[in-house]
Amino acid sequence: MKASKALAALAMSAVMALSLGALTGCADNSEEVIKESLTQELDQLKNMDAELIDQYSSAFPESVMNQVGLTSEQVVKAVLEGFDGTVDSVTVNGNTAEAVVTLSSKNFSEVEDSLENLQDEMMDNVDQFANMTPDEIKQWAGNKIMETIQAAPVETHEPITIEYVRNGNTWEPAPGAEQELQSALMG
């Protein structure tokens, strides 16, 4: 079961590590360029963009997912259900900028706690698995993992500030920006 818990945690991490890219814009429209780019990235997650799902699904091997009767795509979609994000404001100050973003996502702390409880349940009720084959147990575990992820409540996180720096005509996320997003989402 530890592998199943790790699998779900890996899926959540992979999905929530937004790929903030460099943007090109002149001084007159820098705020708009940053806001539009962030909005597009958030919309890809909100709309479960097929290419993005494939990209995140490939972050971990199908063979691991198959051990519990799941596919990477199933887990990624379950993690993204209910995701929302808005760019509240963008402020440019010379060669730096700050974008304030509000995100809503599943409560991953609760998912982790639920998966720990599931593991305890399995250990405390060994008799329920006595007549099951190893494949049936793995299938049961996979179903429970999906139920746990799908049942997780969506919560709105405190707004976060993503910093950008200008390099010539290109705005780039400051070092640590992706980790800031992931920390906000993962709690």
Side-chain angles (χ1 to χ4, degrees), residues 111-141:
V111 170
E112 186 176 7
D113 291 345
S114 295
L115 290 173
E116 285 177 13
N117 292 339
L118 179 60
Q119 183 176 358
D120 292 343
E121 176 187 334
M122 288 181 73
M123 298 306 253
D124 293 342
N125 298 303
V126 175
D127 293 344
Q128 91 180 46
F129 303 104
N131 295 324
M132 294 173 75
T133 67
D135 286 341
E136 290 171 331
I137 294 171
K138 289 176 187 177
Q139 185 71 36
W140 179 89

Short mmCIF file of all heavy atoms in Angstrom, two decimals, residues 111-141:
data_model
loop_
_atom_site.label_atom_id
_atom_site.label_comp_id
_atom_site.label_asym_id
_atom_site.label_seq_id
_atom_site.Cartn_x
_atom_site.Cartn_y
_atom_site.Cartn_z
N VAL A 111 -6.02 14.17 1.31
CA VAL A 111 -5.82 12.97 0.50
C VAL A 111 -4.75 12.10 1.14
O VAL A 111 -4.93 10.88 1.30
CB VAL A 111 -5.41 13.33 -0.96
CG1 VAL A 111 -4.96 12.10 -1.72
CG2 VAL A 111 -6.57 14.00 -1.68
N GLU A 112 -3.66 12.71 1.54
CA GLU A 112 -2.58 11.95 2.16
C GLU A 112 -3.06 11.28 3.45
O GLU A 112 -2.78 10.10 3.68
CB GLU A 112 -1.39 12.87 2.45
CG GLU A 112 -0.18 12.11 2.96
CD GLU A 112 1.03 13.01 3.14
OE1 GLU A 112 0.92 14.24 3.00
OE2 GLU A 112 2.10 12.45 3.43
N ASP A 113 -3.79 12.03 4.28
CA ASP A 113 -4.33 11.45 5.52
C ASP A 113 -5.27 10.29 5.22
O ASP A 113 -5.22 9.25 5.89
CB ASP A 113 -5.07 12.51 6.34
CG ASP A 113 -4.15 13.55 6.93
OD1 ASP A 113 -2.91 13.33 6.96
OD2 ASP A 113 -4.66 14.62 7.35
N SER A 114 -6.12 10.45 4.22
CA SER A 114 -7.07 9.39 3.85
C SER A 114 -6.34 8.15 3.36
O SER A 114 -6.75 7.02 3.66
CB SER A 114 -8.03 9.87 2.78
OG SER A 114 -8.85 10.90 3.30
N LEU A 115 -5.26 8.34 2.61
CA LEU A 115 -4.50 7.19 2.12
C LEU A 115 -3.78 6.48 3.28
O LEU A 115 -3.69 5.25 3.28
CB LEU A 115 -3.51 7.62 1.04
CG LEU A 115 -4.15 8.03 -0.28
CD1 LEU A 115 -3.10 8.59 -1.23
CD2 LEU A 115 -4.90 6.88 -0.92
N GLU A 116 -3.33 7.24 4.27
CA GLU A 116 -2.75 6.61 5.45
C GLU A 116 -3.80 5.80 6.19
O GLU A 116 -3.54 4.69 6.65
CB GLU A 116 -2.14 7.66 6.37
CG GLU A 116 -0.83 8.21 5.86
CD GLU A 116 -0.26 9.31 6.75
OE1 GLU A 116 -0.74 9.49 7.90
OE2 GLU A 116 0.67 9.98 6.29
N ASN A 117 -5.02 6.36 6.32
CA ASN A 117 -6.12 5.64 6.97
C ASN A 117 -6.47 4.38 6.20
O ASN A 117 -6.80 3.35 6.79
CB ASN A 117 -7.35 6.54 7.12
CG ASN A 117 -7.13 7.66 8.10
OD1 ASN A 117 -6.26 7.60 8.96
ND2 ASN A 117 -7.91 8.73 7.96
N LEU A 118 -6.42 4.46 4.88
CA LEU A 118 -6.70 3.29 4.04
C LEU A 118 -5.68 2.20 4.31
O LEU A 118 -6.03 1.02 4.43
CB LEU A 118 -6.69 3.70 2.57
CG LEU A 118 -6.95 2.61 1.55
CD1 LEU A 118 -8.32 1.97 1.76
CD2 LEU A 118 -6.85 3.19 0.14
N GLN A 119 -4.43 2.59 4.42
CA GLN A 119 -3.38 1.61 4.71
C GLN A 119 -3.63 0.97 6.08
O GLN A 119 -3.52 -0.25 6.22
CB GLN A 119 -2.02 2.29 4.69
CG GLN A 119 -0.86 1.35 4.91
CD GLN A 119 0.48 2.06 4.78
OE1 GLN A 119 0.54 3.24 4.49
NE2 GLN A 119 1.54 1.33 5.00
N ASP A 120 -4.00 1.78 7.07
CA ASP A 120 -4.31 1.24 8.40
C ASP A 120 -5.51 0.29 8.33
O ASP A 120 -5.51 -0.76 8.97
CB ASP A 120 -4.60 2.37 9.39
CG ASP A 120 -3.37 3.20 9.71
OD1 ASP A 120 -2.23 2.73 9.45
OD2 ASP A 120 -3.54 4.34 10.21
N GLU A 121 -6.52 0.68 7.55
CA GLU A 121 -7.70 -0.17 7.39
C GLU A 121 -7.33 -1.53 6.82
O GLU A 121 -7.83 -2.56 7.29
CB GLU A 121 -8.71 0.52 6.46
CG GLU A 121 -9.94 -0.31 6.14
CD GLU A 121 -10.82 0.33 5.08
OE1 GLU A 121 -10.81 1.56 4.92
OE2 GLU A 121 -11.54 -0.44 4.40
N MET A 122 -6.45 -1.53 5.85
CA MET A 122 -6.02 -2.80 5.25
C MET A 122 -5.29 -3.66 6.29
O MET A 122 -5.52 -4.87 6.37
CB MET A 122 -5.12 -2.55 4.05
CG MET A 122 -5.86 -2.02 2.84
SD MET A 122 -4.77 -1.75 1.43
CE MET A 122 -4.47 -3.44 0.93
N MET A 123 -4.44 -3.03 7.09
CA MET A 123 -3.67 -3.78 8.09
C MET A 123 -4.57 -4.30 9.21
O MET A 123 -4.35 -5.38 9.73
CB MET A 123 -2.56 -2.90 8.67
CG MET A 123 -1.56 -2.45 7.63
SD MET A 123 -0.85 -3.82 6.73
CE MET A 123 0.76 -3.82 7.42
N ASP A 124 -5.59 -3.51 9.57
CA ASP A 124 -6.48 -3.89 10.66
C ASP A 124 -7.54 -4.90 10.26
O ASP A 124 -8.15 -5.53 11.12
CB ASP A 124 -7.18 -2.65 11.24
CG ASP A 124 -6.21 -1.70 11.92
OD1 ASP A 124 -5.08 -2.13 12.26
OD2 ASP A 124 -6.58 -0.52 12.11
N ASN A 125 -7.77 -5.06 8.97
CA ASN A 125 -8.83 -5.95 8.48
C ASN A 125 -8.28 -6.96 7.47
O ASN A 125 -8.84 -7.13 6.39
CB ASN A 125 -9.95 -5.13 7.83
CG ASN A 125 -10.60 -4.18 8.80
OD1 ASN A 125 -11.10 -4.60 9.83
ND2 ASN A 125 -10.58 -2.90 8.49
N VAL A 126 -7.23 -7.61 7.84
CA VAL A 126 -6.57 -8.57 6.96
C VAL A 126 -7.54 -9.66 6.51
O VAL A 126 -7.47 -10.14 5.37
CB VAL A 126 -5.32 -9.18 7.66
CG1 VAL A 126 -4.69 -10.26 6.80
CG2 VAL A 126 -4.33 -8.08 7.98
N ASP A 127 -8.49 -10.02 7.36
CA ASP A 127 -9.44 -11.09 7.02
C ASP A 127 -10.25 -10.78 5.77
O ASP A 127 -10.59 -11.69 5.02
CB ASP A 127 -10.39 -11.35 8.19
CG ASP A 127 -9.69 -11.94 9.40
OD1 ASP A 127 -8.54 -12.44 9.24
OD2 ASP A 127 -10.26 -11.90 10.51
N GLN A 128 -10.56 -9.52 5.53
CA GLN A 128 -11.38 -9.17 4.36
C GLN A 128 -10.65 -9.48 3.06
O GLN A 128 -11.27 -9.62 2.02
CB GLN A 128 -11.84 -7.72 4.42
CG GLN A 128 -10.92 -6.72 3.74
CD GLN A 128 -11.43 -5.30 3.83
OE1 GLN A 128 -11.85 -4.83 4.88
NE2 GLN A 128 -11.39 -4.59 2.73
N PHE A 129 -9.33 -9.63 3.12
CA PHE A 129 -8.54 -9.89 1.92
C PHE A 129 -8.13 -11.36 1.80
O PHE A 129 -7.50 -11.74 0.81
CB PHE A 129 -7.28 -9.01 1.91
CG PHE A 129 -7.60 -7.55 2.00
CD1 PHE A 129 -7.43 -6.87 3.20
CD2 PHE A 129 -8.11 -6.87 0.92
CE1 PHE A 129 -7.74 -5.53 3.29
CE2 PHE A 129 -8.43 -5.53 1.01
CZ PHE A 129 -8.25 -4.85 2.20
N ALA A 130 -8.52 -12.17 2.78
CA ALA A 130 -8.07 -13.56 2.82
C ALA A 130 -8.47 -14.36 1.59
O ALA A 130 -7.70 -15.22 1.14
CB ALA A 130 -8.59 -14.24 4.09
N ASN A 131 -9.62 -14.11 1.05
CA ASN A 131 -10.10 -14.88 -0.10
C ASN A 131 -9.89 -14.17 -1.43
O ASN A 131 -10.43 -14.59 -2.46
CB ASN A 131 -11.59 -15.22 0.08
CG ASN A 131 -11.83 -16.14 1.25
OD1 ASN A 131 -11.01 -17.02 1.53
ND2 ASN A 131 -12.92 -15.93 1.95
N MET A 132 -9.11 -13.10 -1.40
CA MET A 132 -8.86 -12.34 -2.63
C MET A 132 -7.49 -12.72 -3.20
O MET A 132 -6.55 -13.00 -2.46
CB MET A 132 -8.90 -10.83 -2.34
CG MET A 132 -10.26 -10.32 -1.92
SD MET A 132 -10.25 -8.58 -1.38
CE MET A 132 -10.11 -7.74 -2.94
N THR A 133 -7.41 -12.70 -4.51
CA THR A 133 -6.12 -12.94 -5.16
C THR A 133 -5.29 -11.66 -5.05
O THR A 133 -5.84 -10.58 -4.82
CB THR A 133 -6.31 -13.28 -6.65
OG1 THR A 133 -6.80 -12.12 -7.33
CG2 THR A 133 -7.25 -14.46 -6.86
N PRO A 134 -3.98 -11.75 -5.25
CA PRO A 134 -3.16 -10.54 -5.24
C PRO A 134 -3.65 -9.48 -6.24
O PRO A 134 -3.64 -8.29 -5.94
CB PRO A 134 -1.76 -11.05 -5.59
CG PRO A 134 -1.75 -12.45 -5.09
CD PRO A 134 -3.15 -12.96 -5.34
N ASP A 135 -4.10 -9.94 -7.41
CA ASP A 135 -4.60 -8.98 -8.40
C ASP A 135 -5.88 -8.30 -7.92
O ASP A 135 -6.08 -7.11 -8.17
CB ASP A 135 -4.84 -9.68 -9.75
CG ASP A 135 -3.56 -10.00 -10.49
OD1 ASP A 135 -2.51 -9.38 -10.15
OD2 ASP A 135 -3.58 -10.85 -11.39
N GLU A 136 -6.74 -9.06 -7.25
CA GLU A 136 -7.97 -8.47 -6.72
C GLU A 136 -7.67 -7.45 -5.62
O GLU A 136 -8.31 -6.40 -5.54
CB GLU A 136 -8.90 -9.55 -6.18
CG GLU A 136 -9.51 -10.43 -7.25
CD GLU A 136 -10.25 -11.63 -6.69
OE1 GLU A 136 -9.89 -12.13 -5.60
OE2 GLU A 136 -11.21 -12.08 -7.37
N ILE A 137 -6.67 -7.73 -4.81
CA ILE A 137 -6.27 -6.79 -3.75
C ILE A 137 -5.72 -5.52 -4.38
O ILE A 137 -6.06 -4.41 -3.95
CB ILE A 137 -5.24 -7.44 -2.81
CG1 ILE A 137 -5.91 -8.59 -2.03
CG2 ILE A 137 -4.65 -6.40 -1.85
CD1 ILE A 137 -4.94 -9.45 -1.23
N LYS A 138 -4.89 -5.66 -5.40
CA LYS A 138 -4.34 -4.48 -6.08
C LYS A 138 -5.46 -3.66 -6.72
O LYS A 138 -5.46 -2.43 -6.66
CB LYS A 138 -3.31 -4.90 -7.12
CG LYS A 138 -2.03 -5.43 -6.52
CD LYS A 138 -1.09 -5.93 -7.60
CE LYS A 138 0.13 -6.60 -7.00
NZ LYS A 138 1.00 -7.16 -8.05
N GLN A 139 -6.42 -4.33 -7.33
CA GLN A 139 -7.55 -3.65 -7.95
C GLN A 139 -8.36 -2.90 -6.89
O GLN A 139 -8.75 -1.74 -7.09
CB GLN A 139 -8.45 -4.65 -8.70
CG GLN A 139 -9.58 -4.01 -9.47
CD GLN A 139 -9.10 -3.24 -10.68
OE1 GLN A 139 -8.16 -3.63 -11.36
NE2 GLN A 139 -9.74 -2.12 -10.96
N TRP A 140 -8.60 -3.56 -5.75
CA TRP A 140 -9.32 -2.93 -4.65
C TRP A 140 -8.57 -1.68 -4.20
O TRP A 140 -9.17 -0.62 -4.01
CB TRP A 140 -9.44 -3.93 -3.49
CG TRP A 140 -10.15 -3.38 -2.29
CD1 TRP A 140 -11.49 -3.40 -2.05
CD2 TRP A 140 -9.55 -2.71 -1.17
NE1 TRP A 140 -11.76 -2.79 -0.85
CE2 TRP A 140 -10.58 -2.36 -0.30
CE3 TRP A 140 -8.24 -2.38 -0.84
CZ2 TRP A 140 -10.35 -1.69 0.90
CZ3 TRP A 140 -8.01 -1.72 0.35
CH2 TRP A 140 -9.06 -1.38 1.21
N ALA A 141 -7.25 -1.78 -4.03
CA ALA A 141 -6.43 -0.65 -3.60
C ALA A 141 -6.51 0.49 -4.62
O ALA A 141 -6.65 1.66 -4.25
CB ALA A 141 -4.99 -1.08 -3.38
#
